[in-house]
Amino acid sequence: MTNKKNNSVTLKMRKRVRSAGRYTFLSIISLLSIFPLYYMACAATNMSVDVIRGKLIPGTYVIENFKNLLAAQNVASAMFNSFKYATICTLVSLVICSLAGYGFEIYHDKAKDTIFSVLLLAMMVPFAATMIPLFQMFSSANLLNTTMGFILPSISTPFLIMMFRQSARSFPHDLIEAARIDGVTEVGIFFKMFFPTMKSTYAAAMTITFMNAWNNYLWPKVIMMDDKSITMPMLIANLTSGYTTDYGSLMLGVFMCTIPTVIVFFVLQKSFANGITGAVKG
Amino acid sequence: MNGRKKKITLAKKHNLTGWAFLVPATLLIVVMSFLPMIKAFVLSLKTGIGVTMKWAGFLNYIRMFKDTVFMQALKNNFIYLIIQVPIMLILALILASMLNNKDLKFKGFFRTAIFLPCATSLVSYAIIFRSLFAVDGLVNTILIKFGFLHTGYNFLGHATSARIIIIIALIWRWTGYNMVFYLSGLQNIDYSVYEAAKIDGASPFQTFWKITAPLLKPTILLTTIMSTNGTLQLFDESVNLTNGGPANATITMSHYIYNTSFKYVPNFGYSAAMSYLILILVAVLAFVQMRVGDKRD
């Protein structure tokens, strides 16, 4: 009797220790994940000297940092460029890839399936291997320093097509048949029925594409030779090339480069998780 | 008769619509990926600058194996791959299975916090880590304050510590990303399996190795291939965190290829040959991983 009671007590204890361990571990990892970003936000609002001294409380020096940043680099133009490239790239990419994913699944036959599996191979092609020919092609087509030049290599990706193809699989065929009988055109079915029901897939695709386009560094570094065409990641990379680093304004630049993608992620977070689940399922 | 004819034309019409839907995306991938890939191969067999390029056969391929900087870069990529990818994936798997627990509180907070690094751009986090580990950076300030060091240690100026910092930074940036894939995979596993295991008295460790890991195998394979692919193409971190230094101790293949094509005197033929080695490595490793992934069944 007492033995049994003891047993259940130790079991309960063990459970409690285990659960405490789990919370501690998760808390430490969360803290480590957030800390560098907290450091960035603090440094962006403090004087460079204070950042070096290790001050870890948000300060009030943000306006001065901003003035120094503006004096060093053309932030407005880089911000505008990054928004322009990333937004156009995302919109075009979503339309083209969702059309293709839908086409590959709904109208699939042997030929289309074969083409799809060949396209998947493009996922394996490292960017370094296509970068030089692309640069040559784009410079002879006068696409250097242009939005078109920025977006063309990244608007159609096998990953996105696969994602939309996967979600089109769960789109009921009966609905399509019924709409056809009602006289809705094929394009109409896509835009009026598929598009509204696949919101979470679009949200996930949007998050991924916008983040990739915004964060892209190698390709714009290759083709944006004009100072007026550079992006935010290029701008903050330029900030570090001087002899002495003004940590305050540098981190403010880093902060400004980070905030748009963080906002996109938070706004679309819920649908993002759902969309990824739908894509991994298949 | 008439009805049948109409049906055939309708099927044909649908087929054509299907093609129209997928042609733009397909053409773009062909022109932006496959065509440059072929062009890069042709280029890799040539040598010289600009319009004066001559055929060189496989000379470029022989040259890169004698190029000490490229060999160092190749070695670096493999150091990152072999050390960083397993640590990151195991950590992501552990975190995902912890977060999959139904009784866990603050789940949303933990998940968001761990995923947050992925919303940071590669250049941003490279600069943040560079500042943290600079000679006058926060880590040194703290170490000096607590008396571990007298003067700041140049973390990024020594080969081993610089590599370790790149690895730490990579783990920080990508663990949450992989965790999201595992979490989605876990949602497809019926939770009652776990409850049954609990009733049978399985420890969390046993549950993890006997249930979670095998059922997640397809997702683990996917993330392994993606991470391998990504690690072999590292660029932003090498450029912005360490600038390849000290003395090329942390330079990656993509970084070196960028330098030989756009920073130094452009040698497109040689650069293309080196980029083909990355292509071959990615393909071979993906193939091996798929084979190994299938075998364990």
Side-chain angles (χ1 to χ4, degrees):
Chain A
M1 176 72 199
T2 39
N3 207 356
K4 213 173 187 181
K5 206 175 176 185
N6 267 345
N7 243 344
S8 84
V9 167
T10 48
L11 235 150
K12 229 179 211 169
M13 280 282 282
R14 203 190 271 171
K15 232 181 195 171
R16 216 170 263 172
V17 170
R18 203 176 269 162
S19 137
R22 190 188 300 138
Y23 281 107
T24 318
F25 182 71
L26 285 173
S27 304
I28 291 172
I29 298 281
S30 301
L31 204 73
L32 289 176
S33 297
I34 298 173
F35 181 75
L37 297 171
Y38 176 74
Y39 163 80
M40 166 190 79
C42 288
T45 56
N46 276 311
M47 231 191 287
S48 193
V49 218
D50 285 333
V51 178
I52 292 168
R53 272 193 212 126
K55 190 179 168 197
L56 279 175
I57 312 156
T60 52
Y61 204 69
V62 63
I63 293 164
E64 281 79 0
N65 281 338
F66 190 60
K67 275 183 196 153
N68 293 338
L69 182 61
L70 285 185
Q73 295 279 338
N74 195 347
V75 185
S77 140
M79 248 340 206
F80 176 76
N81 288 336
S82 274
F83 266 109
K84 185 173 72 178
Y85 303 151
T87 314
I88 296 176
C89 184
T90 308
L91 292 178
V92 179
S93 180
L94 286 192
V95 173
I96 287 185
C97 293
S98 65
L99 274 171
Y102 180 85
F104 274 119
E105 179 60 32
I106 304 295
Y107 307 98
H108 82 102
D109 54 32
K110 219 168 184 184
K112 295 192 187 85
D113 289 351
T114 315
I115 291 179
F116 180 71
S117 39
V118 174
L119 289 189
L120 280 186
L121 290 178
M123 267 204 219
M124 291 290 153
V125 180
F127 189 69
T130 57
M131 169 176 85
I132 297 159
L134 278 177
F135 171 75
Q136 293 178 322
M137 283 157 66
F138 281 38
S139 65
S140 58
N142 276 327
L143 286 172
L144 302 183
N145 299 313
T146 62
T147 309
M148 199 62 155
F150 180 96
I151 68 169
L152 270 179
S154 48
I155 38 183
S156 180
T157 68
F159 183 77
L160 278 195
I161 299 173
M162 191 173 74
M163 229 169 116
F164 282 108
R165 182 173 178 258
Q166 213 69 264
S167 67
R169 191 162 286 176
S170 65
F171 191 62
H173 257 262
D174 301 348
L175 262 180
I176 301 174
E177 289 301 327
R180 276 175 187 164
I181 290 165
D182 287 346
V184 186
T185 60
E186 298 298 308
V187 180
I189 296 174
F190 176 81
F191 281 106
K192 284 186 204 132
M193 293 167 66
F194 179 78
F195 181 69
T197 45
M198 293 299 161
K199 275 197 185 121
S200 67
T201 311
Y202 276 95
M206 209 170 130
T207 318
I208 293 169
T209 314
F210 185 84
M211 281 187 185
N212 283 344
W214 182 277
N215 294 338
N216 199 350
Y217 177 60
L218 176 51
W219 180 237
K221 199 172 156 70
V222 169
I223 62 158
M224 301 301 177
M225 292 147 150
D226 189 352
D227 269 348
K228 275 181 254 156
S229 317
I230 68 165
T231 62
M232 271 313 271
M234 289 169 78
L235 179 133
I236 57 172
N238 287 347
L239 278 177
T240 59
S241 54
Y243 284 105
T244 51
T245 312
D246 176 3
Y247 283 108
S249 60
L250 171 67
M251 282 301 154
L252 185 65
V254 173
F255 186 79
M256 290 170 70
C257 179
T258 306
I259 251 355
T261 48
V262 172
I263 291 172
V264 167
F265 170 69
F266 271 107
V267 171
L268 300 171
Q269 187 185 24
K270 189 133 190 130
S271 348
F272 174 75
N274 292 338
I276 288 277
T277 310
V280 172
K281 225 177 217 165
Chain B
M1 184 66 205
N2 208 358
R4 203 175 146 205
K5 199 174 173 189
K6 204 176 168 191
K7 211 170 190 181
I8 291 168
T9 48
L10 247 179
K12 234 181 202 169
K13 200 184 128 199
H14 289 163
N15 190 25
L16 276 179
T17 323
W19 283 111
F21 276 18
L22 54 86
V23 156
T26 308
L27 267 184
L28 272 168
I29 291 181
V30 170
V31 177
M32 295 295 149
S33 254
F34 293 133
L35 179 69
M37 212 177 93
I38 297 164
K39 283 190 170 192
F41 183 68
V42 176
L43 207 55
S44 76
L45 303 176
K46 290 181 176 179
T47 180
I49 298 158
V51 276
T52 60
M53 293 192 86
K54 296 188 300 256
W55 289 100
F58 286 95
L59 269 180
N60 283 326
Y61 288 90
I62 297 162
R63 177 179 162 189
M64 72 182 155
F65 288 102
K66 291 180 190 148
D67 183 341
T68 48
V69 181
F70 185 67
M71 282 298 113
Q72 179 67 50
L74 180 69
K75 198 177 115 196
N76 291 337
N77 272 107
F78 271 93
I79 291 174
Y80 302 145
L81 179 68
I82 291 163
I83 300 176
Q84 185 259 335
V85 172
I87 297 178
M88 171 185 71
L89 292 184
I90 290 170
L91 185 61
L93 203 50
I94 292 172
L95 289 169
S97 59
M98 277 183 167
L99 288 178
N100 194 43
N101 190 320
K102 278 226 163 90
D103 307 320
L104 190 78
K105 286 176 193 120
F106 315 116
K107 201 186 288 177
F109 167 76
F110 288 136
R111 197 179 44 208
T112 307
I114 297 169
F115 187 79
L116 204 55
C118 300
T120 327
S121 90
L122 301 178
V123 179
S124 295
Y125 96 90
I127 293 175
I128 294 173
F129 272 79
R130 178 166 137 176
S131 310
L132 281 172
F133 288 98
V135 181
D136 56 2
L138 184 71
V139 173
N140 271 317
T141 310
I142 290 172
L143 288 176
I144 292 169
K145 222 175 233 172
F146 286 98
F148 292 113
L149 287 175
H150 286 293
T151 52
Y153 182 74
N154 193 356
F155 286 103
L156 301 173
H158 294 85
T160 312
S161 56
R163 282 187 195 131
I164 291 173
I165 284 157
I166 289 203
I167 288 170
I168 292 174
L170 285 169
I171 292 174
W172 180 82
R173 173 65 171 72
W174 293 102
T175 302
Y177 180 79
N178 289 290
M179 185 191 74
V180 171
F181 282 89
Y182 294 144
L183 271 176
S184 324
L186 283 172
Q187 275 170 21
N188 298 328
I189 301 174
D190 199 345
Y191 200 72
S192 61
V193 179
Y194 287 103
E195 257 137 31
K198 215 185 235 171
I199 291 164
D200 290 343
S203 73
F205 193 72
Q206 279 171 320
T207 320
F208 181 79
W209 282 113
K210 295 270 161 65
I211 300 176
T212 311
L215 284 173
L216 273 186
K217 218 175 68 183
T219 318
I220 294 173
L221 184 64
L222 174 78
T223 51
T224 311
I225 292 176
M226 286 194 312
S227 310
T228 307
N229 198 341
T231 313
L232 288 178
Q233 297 190 47
L234 280 180
F235 175 75
D236 304 31
E237 292 83 353
S238 174
V239 174
N240 291 303
L241 218 165
T242 57
N243 198 11
N248 296 321
T250 60
I251 197 169
T252 61
M253 291 187 283
S254 288
H255 187 180
Y256 185 57
I257 292 171
Y258 176 84
N259 285 349
T260 54
S261 25
F262 299 109
K263 201 171 170 190
Y264 311 145
V265 181
N267 193 337
F268 285 164
Y270 184 45
S271 304
M274 291 189 288
S275 74
Y276 247 72
L277 187 73
I278 303 185
L279 180 79
I280 293 163
L281 286 173
V282 168
V284 168
L285 285 176
F287 181 74
V288 170
Q289 284 161 352
M290 277 188 224
R291 268 295 159 88
V292 173
D294 278 342
K295 236 180 211 162
R296 269 188 239 145
D297 268 324

